Every structure is written in C-alpha cells, then in structure tokens.
C-alpha cells in the first residue's frame, strides 16, 4: 500500500515538474519571439528612415538646383511629413510589423515617383524668386 501511494505521489510530482518545465520553455519561446519581432521592427525602422533621408536629400537638391517650384517643394515636404506621421502611428505599440512596413514602403514608393516627376517636369523656379520659367 505504501509503495503504491509513493509511486502515485512521485508520478504526480514528476508530471508537475514536466508541466512547469514546458511552461518555462513556452515563456522562453515567447521572449525569443518578442526579441525577434523587436529586432525586425528596428531593421524596418532603419530602412524606412534611410529611404526618407535619401528622399529629403533629393528634394533639397531639386530645390537648390531650381528644378522645383515653391509649391512643388512644399507638397513634397508635406508628403514626407505624412509618411513620418504614419511611421510614428505604427510605432505607437512599440513594433512595426511586416504589414505596416509594406504600407510605409508603398507610400515611400509613391513619394519617390512624385519627387522624380516634379524634378523632371518642365516647370522650374526662377533664379530670383519672382515668377516661374520653363526649361
């Protein structure tokens, strides 16, 4: 009788230890997933920031070279500001996931095409700031 009771007690303890170990392993897996998601979010943010920096350089170059009018410059700047606001909104929960990154990437693609179009249209800024001229 004592040996049966001892075996059952040891069995219950062993089962409890296995369940606790599985829970600890699960928690470790969740932390690893969270760490991976955070690192991926950091990479997404760096890629987005690098693209926006390049686009801002293109906008500033176009303005300094006279390829953009004031209105075009302001519209392009405003679009960059809107993309930055969208990024901050997506980052509010601490992570930018793949779907949010795709939306930002598409918005940056559209902005890039707009910059290209505005810089290479025939409308240019006058060197003295009064009126417009055509190239």
């Amino acid at each position: 009788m004592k040996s049966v009771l001892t075996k059952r007690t040891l069995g219950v303890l062993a089962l409890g230890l296995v369940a606790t170990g599985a829970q600890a392993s699960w928690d470790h897996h969740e932390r690893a997933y969270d760490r991976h998601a955070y690192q991926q979010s950091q990479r997404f943010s760096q890629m987005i920031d690098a693209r926006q920096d390049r686009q801002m350089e293109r906008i500033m170059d176009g303005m300094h070279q006279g390829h953009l009018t004031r209105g075009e410059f302001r519209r392009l700047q405003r679009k960059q500001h809107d993309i930055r606001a969208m990024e901050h909104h997506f980052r509010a929960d601490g992570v930018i996931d793949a779907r949010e990154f795709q939306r930002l990437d598409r918005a940056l693609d559209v902005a890039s095409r707009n910059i290209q179009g505005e810089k290479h249209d025939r409308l240019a800024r006058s060197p003295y700031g009064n009126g417009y001229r055509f190239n």
Side-chain angles (χ1 to χ4, degrees), residues 30-49:
E30 283 182 5
R31 283 190 300 248
Y33 175 77
D34 290 343
R35 185 174 51 248
H36 173 71
Y38 177 76
Q39 289 171 347
Q40 184 178 24
S41 177
Q42 290 298 102
R43 283 193 301 273
F44 286 160
S45 292
Q46 289 171 352
M47 290 168 48
I48 291 165
D49 291 342

Side-chain angles (χ1 to χ4, degrees), residues 6-75:
T6 305
K7 286 180 185 177
R8 284 185 184 170
T9 305
L10 289 175
V12 170
L13 286 174
L15 185 61
L17 289 174
V18 169
T20 304
Q23 179 64 35
S25 174
W26 180 259
D27 289 343
H28 175 71
H29 178 70
E30 283 182 5
R31 283 190 300 248
Y33 175 77
D34 290 343
R35 185 174 51 248
H36 173 71
Y38 177 76
Q39 289 171 347
Q40 184 178 24
S41 177
Q42 290 298 102
R43 283 193 301 273
F44 286 160
S45 292
Q46 289 171 352
M47 290 168 48
I48 291 165
D49 291 342
R51 277 192 75 184
Q52 274 202 304
D53 290 343
R54 285 192 306 270
Q55 287 184 2
M56 286 301 298
E57 287 175 9
R58 290 171 54 205
I59 292 169
M60 296 306 288
D61 287 344
M63 184 195 64
H64 290 303
Q65 293 173 0
H67 296 291
L68 296 174
T69 64
R70 283 189 181 96
E72 291 170 343
F73 175 76
R74 287 183 185 132
R75 278 191 299 276

Side-chain angles (χ1 to χ4, degrees), residues 81-99:
H81 176 75
D82 292 344
I83 293 170
R84 182 77 63 191
M86 187 186 331
E87 179 186 3
H88 287 297
H89 175 72
F90 288 156
R91 198 182 301 175
D93 64 351
V95 176
I96 294 178
D97 63 14
R99 181 173 288 152

